[in-house]
Amino acid sequence: MSLSHGRSYLAIPGPSVIPDAVLRAMHRASPNIYEGELHDLTASIIPDLRKVAGTTGNVAIYIGNGHAAWEAALANVANPGDRVLVCATGRFGHGWADIAAGLGLEVEVMDFGQTMPVDAARVEERLRAKGAQAIKAVLVCHVDTSTGIKSDMGAIRAAMDAAGHDALLMADCIASLGCDDFRMDDWGVDVMVAACQKGLMTPAGISFVWFNERAAARRPARVSRYWDWGPRSNPEVYYQYFAGTAPTHHLYGLRAALDMINAEGLEAVIARHATLATALWAAFEAWGQAGPMRLNVADPAHRSHAVTSVGIGEGQGDALRHWCEHQAGLTLGIGLGREPTSAWFRVGHMGHVNAQMIMGVLGTIQAGLIATGVPYGQGALEAAARVLAEA
Ligand SMILES: *Cc1c(COP(=O)(O)O)cnc(C)c1O
């Protein structure tokens, strides 16, 4: 017998749960792409994308996933042979570094390990050291999705300023946008990339690059026509938004998702994620009192509110995930980028997630711990419920 039949919860850190309103908005015939409502809808999305990123700057939309946005961002600010400094706090920083290497950039990686955020003091030290003038951009994942680590972008900007260095600060907010507080302009981020399938609650397929005038002024000698963010962010004719056919249905879906964010209010969305994450962590801390479960990031200030990485005994991560998925309809994330993978799992709590879903995740994990024979401390569900009750 399986108890998994019924509405399932895909609690992996992207793609996230798609709201019914987004699905409904996408369930339609193709619109005219040459004139009419699609043009107005696209124009209406731009100010909302600015708002969610905390910027008055520019935004370009790409048909592609987060990897496309990684490449697009770099293609608009660097020539082959230029040096970039990647600050890695898990697997995704290395992924962006690899994209940079593929574009022919000189890539320098500072690896901050898998449990701590980017240390701004070390960045400052590097930017003051010999050879640092060649660095054209500093690349940071605001949240690394493999580790759940959140880095302080404002502190990194302050470190760059303190070093008197004029490199661009480029942030990957693919996991964090619409979940963790992010303020592009206030924090001095020059370029930011995100995709639609995480906090923005839309099926994977479009991604975004926000950039300020400082970044626009770094335009390299030659930019690929397709990646060029110029016409996309400032089109003279509609097709230039997408360098071709618009991602029609994704735009309807994204419009609906942004409407939901606007209706709740961005601050409330961010606060909801914070409270749900705090409830989740309270449960994991209680379970960890007697047993192998450990939150990957010790200091709550350095944890993302969108994704949580949990360590457990070797094999137990996989066993727990499989029990939850096949017996209860809850899909947890794999221990991506960890050794051994089977000793880790992740919970995605990004986007269209509420309190009863978090209690469902925790209650299911509780049952899974019993079923798989993993030892645990008492009081986890009580601790989570208390956070929710007192919020
Ligand atoms: C999901 C994610 C990516 C990759 O996005 P894709 O859409 O899978 O290409 C990159 N960076 C971070 C931080 C992510 O969470």
Side-chain angles (χ1 to χ4, degrees), residues 189-386:
V189 174
D190 299 300
V191 178
M192 190 272 277
V193 301
C196 67
Q197 77 272 22
K198 299 191 186 183
L200 297 181
M201 305 178 284
T202 303
I206 52 177
S207 54
F208 318 94
V209 180
W210 290 256
F211 60 98
N212 62 16
E213 293 307 323
R214 218 174 145 250
R218 306 288 174 95
R219 187 181 173 80
R222 197 167 50 170
V223 183
S224 120
R225 289 274 185 283
Y226 189 73
W227 292 134
D228 194 345
W229 64 26
R232 287 175 183 265
S233 62
N234 189 21
E236 284 172 14
V237 287
Y238 181 78
Y239 84 89
Q240 291 181 320
Y241 270 119
F242 307 104
T245 303
T248 51
H249 288 65
H250 277 81
L251 296 172
Y252 285 106
L254 181 64
R255 179 65 269 162
L258 292 167
D259 286 345
M260 291 176 69
I261 290 173
N262 287 340
E264 183 178 352
L266 184 60
E267 271 186 32
V269 171
I270 300 302
R272 169 168 54 82
H273 280 83
T275 300
L276 296 180
T278 306
L280 199 80
W281 304 335
F284 281 109
E285 274 158 3
W287 281 323
Q289 294 298 311
M293 281 218 282
R294 292 286 176 275
L295 289 169
N296 181 49
V297 183
D299 184 345
H302 302 152
R303 293 179 195 150
S304 166
H305 296 156
V307 52
T308 295
S309 168
V310 183
I312 188 169
E314 183 165 355
Q316 290 173 330
D318 281 357
L320 182 66
R321 280 194 308 103
H322 290 145
W323 189 90
C324 290
E325 179 157 20
H326 300 302
Q327 285 300 321
L330 168 68
T331 305
L332 298 167
I334 62 168
L336 186 74
R338 307 311 291 261
E339 283 295 331
T341 305
S342 70
W344 293 86
F345 67 94
R346 294 171 303 158
V347 184
H349 35 103
M350 43 179 56
H352 196 51
V353 179
N354 62 16
Q356 58 92 8
M357 292 165 76
I358 290 298
M359 289 309 290
V361 164
L362 295 172
T364 303
I365 291 174
Q366 174 73 81
L369 292 172
I370 296 169
T372 55
V374 177
Y376 58 85
Q378 298 295 318
L381 299 181
E382 169 89 21
R386 200 160 282 286

Side-chain angles (χ1 to χ4, degrees), residues 89-90 114-119 140-156 172-173 175-177 179-182 187 270 273-274 277-278 281 296-308 349:
T89 56
Q114 294 186 304
T115 57
M116 294 294 285
V118 173
D119 178 349
V140 180
C141 290
H142 179 222
V143 165
D144 186 287
T145 318
S146 64
T147 56
I149 296 168
K150 177 167 61 187
S151 289
D152 183 340
M153 300 305 304
I156 296 166
D172 170 346
C173 293
S176 56
L177 193 75
C179 306
D180 283 288
D181 190 26
F182 180 81
W187 297 350
I270 300 302
H273 280 83
T278 306
W281 304 335
N296 181 49
V297 183
D299 184 345
H302 302 152
R303 293 179 195 150
S304 166
H305 296 156
V307 52
T308 295
H349 35 103

